[in-house]
Amino acid sequence: MEHIIPLLWTAFNVIPQRLFHYLVTLVYPITTMTDQPDKPSMVGTFFSRLLHLSPTSSKLDLKCELTVRTIRAIVNKPKQPTITAYQAANGFDRPTKGPIWASRVVLDVRDEVDARVALMQVATTLGNKTGNPIAPPEMSSVRGEWVGHRKGVDRTAVELQIPEDEKYTRLMDDTTSDLTILYVHGGSLFHGSPANSRTTAARLAKLTGGRCFSVGYRLSPKHPFPSALFDVFLAYLALLYPPLGAQYDPVESESIVFAVDSAGGNLCLALIQLILQLHVQGSKTLFLHSLQKEVPVPLPAGVATISAYADLTHALPSWTTNQPYDYLPPENPLLDPNFPICGLWPDEPERASIYCNDTDLAHPLVSPAIAESWAGAPPLLFSYGEEMLVDEGKVIAQRATSQGVRVVFEEYEAMPHIFPTLPVLNKLPQAARCYERWAAFCTACVNSPEEIETGGAFIRTSLGTYEQKIGVEKRSIEGLISLPFEEIQRLMKEREAREMEIFQERRRVKARM
């Protein structure tokens, strides 16, 4: 099919444009029909661009648009895989390839019950008093891996068959900065792994000269909220205060930056809220049982996010207005009565949300966009495409800025969710700029935080003759979103209630069958 495209371009150059567009108008409806509805028609995509039926026809080349449409078709196809299949496909470890160090570790933090008490105290205080009680997470070790740039090898290099501690030593030999990045992967909070995000973490390590610790947090639905948040909290504490037997030295909080994508942004923004709330409640220290001493719980040097998932209610306007540029499903697929059943889902007791109690979707540690105060938070970076999640970051950026936090906000025109990490799109100048800004912000948080200036930008894109071009348009963070914060809170709580109603109606229908 791809061989038709050059012929169409030839015809476009030979036949008078008015006649060509007339012929395309006749043919287009036929070309969009395929016998595989989960695969977009290449010819249909081509025609939609020529007729300017696509909102991205003047902003993305054909290859990029087809990539987004393909991902959209896969994510939204009628027959979805089970949760078990999702996790099996994305959760396994694999050998590294190319200029990447990965040293796998297990942090023995099973005795840190006081950290769990602190988490549950905040979760209960901020939670819905009339909803189901939040169950405390089980105590567990936390898995993860140190990731760094491996010097002197090309992309064909295979992982060395040496002990993990020796890999860490070699990784540190190739590290040139004091920066330590706590990297938290995405995956909608129910799939993904450090291995899946290894390439992204290694690229950040190369650009910054630092190292990344990538957290393998526990996944829902088997481990619902607040298990994943607890794991990230424990990983952060373990960087500050290494458990006995750890190979690495303690890391000062001023040298740690959280760098995250998608659902990882949810967990790290929630962790910032957790630490802020502990400070507000006067609990600025914790007793660590592994070290048998009381220790401070400081904030990190900064938080750098890409496509942060900060509203699990999906209540904000961009979930509707930005659908043409994105590929995410517009509705919660778990509410579909035909969503496949497996050993992991539905959970017991049955619920609508895969991550938390249905009455906790608008909880500040579940949907940080609803959090009232960010005062005292470290510098924050938000990078988004023109995607369905963008309003969530705008809400936090605008509110944090009004409370004295240094915030940098950037939105990339016509780009979808986590675009810098996607195939094809990761070769665009937008992706290169996003990575460079991501790395520069992480470095600045550690080396020169006083030089971080609050500000926003909209990165415009246009098609040149041979490549995509970008231009930076400065924006005021104070005007990112026009909705008053009280209205945002109302929308999120109403959406939480609506999801509950849909779920309860589905249960009634099932009971009558």
Side-chain angles (χ1 to χ4, degrees):
M1 185 67 74
E2 63 270 16
H3 299 301
I4 296 177
I5 302 300
L7 296 176
L8 291 170
W9 274 120
T10 302
F12 180 74
N13 291 323
V14 174
I15 301 174
Q17 288 192 23
R18 184 173 297 179
L19 174 60
F20 186 82
H21 276 240
Y22 174 70
L23 293 173
V24 167
T25 305
L26 293 177
V27 176
Y28 173 71
I30 301 173
T31 64
T32 56
M33 301 176 187
T34 70
D35 57 359
Q36 295 176 292
D38 61 328
K39 294 183 179 180
S41 163
M42 182 175 291
V43 179
T45 301
F46 176 82
F47 283 146
S48 72
R49 293 171 62 81
L50 287 182
L51 292 172
H52 301 291
L53 298 176
S54 165
T56 59
S57 59
S58 62
K59 302 170 184 177
L60 298 180
D61 61 27
L62 179 61
K63 186 186 294 185
C64 291
E65 181 162 359
L66 193 60
T67 298
V68 175
R69 286 191 175 211
T70 300
I71 297 172
R72 182 185 297 139
I74 293 171
V75 170
N76 292 277
K77 65 182 179 180
K79 188 175 181 180
Q80 289 290 322
T82 64
I83 299 299
T84 301
Y86 263 117
Q87 294 190 357
N90 294 281
F92 63 92
D93 190 19
R94 60 189 71 94
T96 63
K97 186 176 182 180
I100 299 174
W101 287 116
S103 173
R104 300 154 188 84
V105 298
V106 178
L107 303 174
D108 188 359
V109 289
R110 291 171 293 177
D111 294 333
E112 304 308 343
V113 291
D114 282 34
R116 182 172 64 177
V117 170
L119 167 62
M120 294 307 300
Q121 180 180 337
V122 172
T124 303
T125 300
L126 297 178
N128 187 335
K129 303 300 185 295
T130 61
N132 295 327
I134 300 171
E138 296 178 3
M139 300 303 299
S140 173
S141 298
V142 176
R143 295 182 177 274
E145 60 183 38
W146 288 102
V147 180
H149 175 63
R150 183 179 168 189
K151 296 180 178 179
V153 299
D154 61 22
R155 61 183 182 179
T156 65
V158 298
E159 183 168 357
L160 297 179
Q161 299 302 306
I162 57 177
E164 297 298 325
D165 57 354
E166 188 174 339
K167 293 174 189 174
Y168 177 76
T169 300
R170 300 276 291 273
L171 180 156
M172 290 302 296
D173 290 341
D174 285 346
T175 298
T176 59
S177 168
D178 292 334
L179 169 64
T180 296
I181 292 172
L182 181 63
Y183 195 90
V184 186
H185 68 80
S188 301
L189 298 165
F190 71 88
H191 66 94
S193 67
N196 271 16
S197 61
R198 192 178 287 155
T199 301
T200 301
R203 186 169 177 178
L204 265 182
K206 179 181 179 180
L207 289 171
T208 61
R211 57 180 176 169
C212 297
F213 182 77
S214 189
V215 188
Y217 57 86
R218 286 173 288 180
L219 301 173
S220 59
K222 184 177 181 180
H223 302 286
F225 170 80
S227 297
L229 175 58
F230 186 45
D231 288 350
V232 177
F233 184 30
L234 290 174
Y236 177 52
L237 291 173
L239 290 181
L240 297 168
Y241 312 106
L244 294 176
Q247 185 179 6
Y248 60 93
D249 295 325
V251 186
E252 297 291 334
S253 61
E254 294 84 358
S255 296
I256 299 175
V257 176
F258 299 166
V260 298
D261 67 86
S262 192
N266 176 289
L267 295 173
C268 282
L269 291 168
L271 180 52
I272 295 298
Q273 274 297 308
L274 169 61
I275 298 173
L276 289 173
Q277 288 297 321
L278 287 174
H279 291 185
V280 167
Q281 295 176 11
S283 304
K284 294 188 177 183
T285 63
L286 280 176
F287 184 80
L288 287 187
H289 291 262
S290 60
L291 303 182
Q292 286 296 299
K293 66 178 182 180
E294 195 87 9
V295 297
V297 185
L299 288 156
V303 182
T305 74
I306 287 182
S307 295
Y309 184 23
D311 171 24
L312 269 64
T313 71
H314 305 167
L316 300 179
S318 59
W319 267 93
T320 301
T321 58
N322 287 4
Q323 286 181 22
Y325 306 110
D326 214 341
Y327 54 79
L328 297 176
E331 298 290 340
N332 180 358
L334 299 176
L335 294 177
D336 184 342
N338 296 317
F339 192 85
I341 295 173
C342 65
L344 290 175
W345 190 259
D347 199 9
E348 291 294 338
E350 192 174 359
R351 60 183 190 269
S353 169
I354 196 169
Y355 180 60
C356 64
N357 293 332
D358 296 332
T359 52
D360 291 323
L361 279 175
H363 191 295
L365 299 185
V366 172
S367 294
I370 204 171
E372 294 192 359
S373 177
W374 294 91
L380 306 174
L381 168 68
F382 295 94
S383 295
Y384 284 93
E386 197 172 356
E387 58 180 283
M388 294 161 68
L389 278 65
V390 69
D391 280 353
E392 304 167 19
K394 289 179 178 178
V395 169
I396 298 175
Q398 192 164 292
R399 191 152 185 85
T401 298
S402 71
Q403 295 168 344
V405 180
R406 297 174 190 259
V407 178
V408 178
F409 186 94
E410 297 194 334
E411 181 179 358
Y412 290 76
E413 184 179 26
M415 292 289 105
H417 184 62
I418 59 169
F419 70 92
T421 69
L422 299 176
V424 179
L425 299 182
N426 60 7
K427 307 297 183 184
L428 296 177
Q430 295 94 318
R433 183 188 190 278
C434 189
Y435 265 108
E436 290 166 3
R437 297 281 291 176
W438 203 12
F441 182 86
C442 291
T443 300
C445 286
V446 172
N447 294 341
S448 52
E450 70 285 349
E451 296 180 8
I452 296 174
E453 295 184 2
T454 293
F458 188 74
I459 293 79
R460 294 200 174 275
T461 181
S462 61
L463 287 177
T465 305
Y466 300 106
E467 61 182 10
Q468 296 204 40
K469 299 179 179 180
I470 60 175
V472 180
E473 178 183 300
K474 290 187 177 181
R475 295 267 176 98
S476 169
I477 288 185
E478 287 78 4
L480 285 177
I481 191 164
S482 59
L483 290 173
F485 185 68
E486 293 72 18
E487 176 68 6
I488 290 164
Q489 290 178 307
R490 184 187 67 79
L491 288 172
M492 292 177 67
K493 290 175 181 177
E494 284 184 355
R495 179 71 185 206
E496 177 187 70
R498 177 175 173 271
E499 294 252 327
M500 275 291 296
E501 291 173 4
I502 295 173
F503 176 67
Q504 295 297 342
E505 177 60 26
R506 192 186 75 180
R507 294 188 67 179
R508 286 191 289 269
V509 170
K510 285 177 64 177
R512 291 196 295 266
M513 293 176 62

